[in-house]
Amino acid sequence: DTEVTQTPKHLVMGMTNKKSLKCEQHMGHRAMYWYKQKAKKPPELMFVYSYEKLSINESVPSRFSPECPNSSLLNLHLHALQPEDSALYLCASSQDRTGAGYTFGSGTRLTVV
Amino acid sequence: KQEVTQIPAALSVPEGENLVLNCSFTDSAIYNLQWFRQDPGKGLTSLLLIQSSQREQTSGRLNASLDKSSGRSTLYIAASQPGDSATYLCALQGGSEKLVFGKGTKLTVNP
């Protein structure tokens, strides 16, 4: 299995909702990531979970909250989002910190109304 | 701070043409460089990965080169096809897990 699986593929949520994005990989990779991509822009790193340690991009608002239940799963909890948070959210994994390359999931298209 | 530049921003070619996409970077201290393809609204598909110690990688009609001393990488696509139409992203991994992306080249191959 050489895939990163993201669910759901599409999500529409109101600004008062709480939702979660899920990401799973079974490649034995030790590092997992969440990236945010706005239209016609490159992806931007939000969080890194590597060797059981979470690293946070300090510019990411607290309404985004990552959770890593085990080494194969990385969830992103969403609460009180704003319309400007609408974007494509990409999960990725890599074998280790120096990266034998990244594998990306197909993304979750999030729309906040 | 690593900066990655991709030229051109957009490229339109007739089917069958060979083409080159360019990527330049400012800091040569990298672990690897990776080329991705992204179709509209979709995730990133890895095309080629070049480790720091390597000079090039090939997969089918694709060939990527890496010259750390000049801070450049190229992606060569031979005999382009309409199905190659997509945005191509160059990304580097340096001293951390973080990938630094260029802004991409949007390729259109016309039948």
Side-chain angles (χ1 to χ4, degrees):
Chain A
D1 189 349
T2 58
E3 289 186 345
V4 173
T5 303
Q6 288 188 242
T7 55
K9 295 191 182 302
H10 302 275
L11 178 63
V12 179
M13 61 184 291
M15 290 188 284
T16 59
N17 292 159
K18 288 185 181 180
K19 297 286 184 182
S20 297
L21 308 185
K22 299 186 183 300
C23 176
E24 186 171 13
Q25 58 90 11
H26 292 291
M27 295 177 281
H29 287 178
R30 299 298 302 273
M32 296 183 73
Y33 315 82
W34 280 110
Y35 280 79
K36 173 183 178 180
Q37 187 179 25
K38 300 285 281 184
K40 300 186 178 182
K41 299 286 188 182
E44 296 179 349
L45 182 65
M46 301 177 72
F47 304 103
V48 179
Y49 192 82
S50 175
Y51 289 83
E52 302 175 0
K53 180 181 177 183
L54 179 65
S55 300
I56 299 173
N57 182 337
E58 293 180 353
S59 67
V60 176
S62 60
R63 55 186 182 265
F64 295 92
S65 160
E67 177 204 13
C68 195
N70 60 55
S71 60
S72 299
L73 293 171
L74 184 64
N75 300 324
L76 185 61
H77 300 302
L78 315 173
H79 174 56
L81 294 193
Q82 303 297 309
E84 60 263 29
D85 296 322
S86 298
L88 181 66
Y89 288 83
L90 295 163
C91 178
S93 68
S94 65
Q95 189 170 8
D96 55 33
R97 287 194 185 94
T98 60
Y102 273 53
T103 301
F104 278 83
S106 57
T108 294
R109 171 68 62 187
L110 174 67
T111 303
V112 181
V113 298
Chain B
K1 177 185 174 184
Q2 179 73 273
E3 294 183 0
V4 181
T5 302
Q6 290 189 246
I7 295 173
L11 180 64
S12 182
V13 300
E15 182 176 4
E17 192 162 296
N18 302 325
L19 57 100
V20 175
L21 308 182
N22 296 292
C23 172
S24 62
F25 49 95
T26 55
D27 186 350
S28 62
I30 63 172
Y31 285 128
N32 58 58
L33 183 147
Q34 201 163 358
W35 283 93
F36 294 93
R37 168 189 173 136
Q38 186 171 33
D39 293 292
K42 304 295 185 182
L44 277 65
T45 300
S46 179
L47 298 173
L48 290 165
L49 168 70
I50 310 178
Q51 300 285 1
S52 176
S53 59
Q54 298 174 325
R55 293 295 297 251
E56 68 176 338
Q57 286 288 326
T58 299
S59 176
R61 295 183 293 109
L62 306 180
N63 175 276
S65 68
L66 173 63
D67 184 344
K68 288 199 304 178
S69 62
S70 65
R72 293 183 179 183
S73 175
T74 61
L75 178 66
Y76 174 82
I77 302 177
S80 59
Q81 302 171 358
D84 295 331
S85 299
T87 295
Y88 290 80
L89 292 160
C90 166
L92 288 83
Q93 187 169 13
S96 69
E97 296 96 342
K98 179 181 178 180
L99 270 186
V100 180
F101 284 88
K103 293 184 177 181
T105 294
K106 183 177 181 180
L107 173 65
T108 303
V109 181
N110 301 300

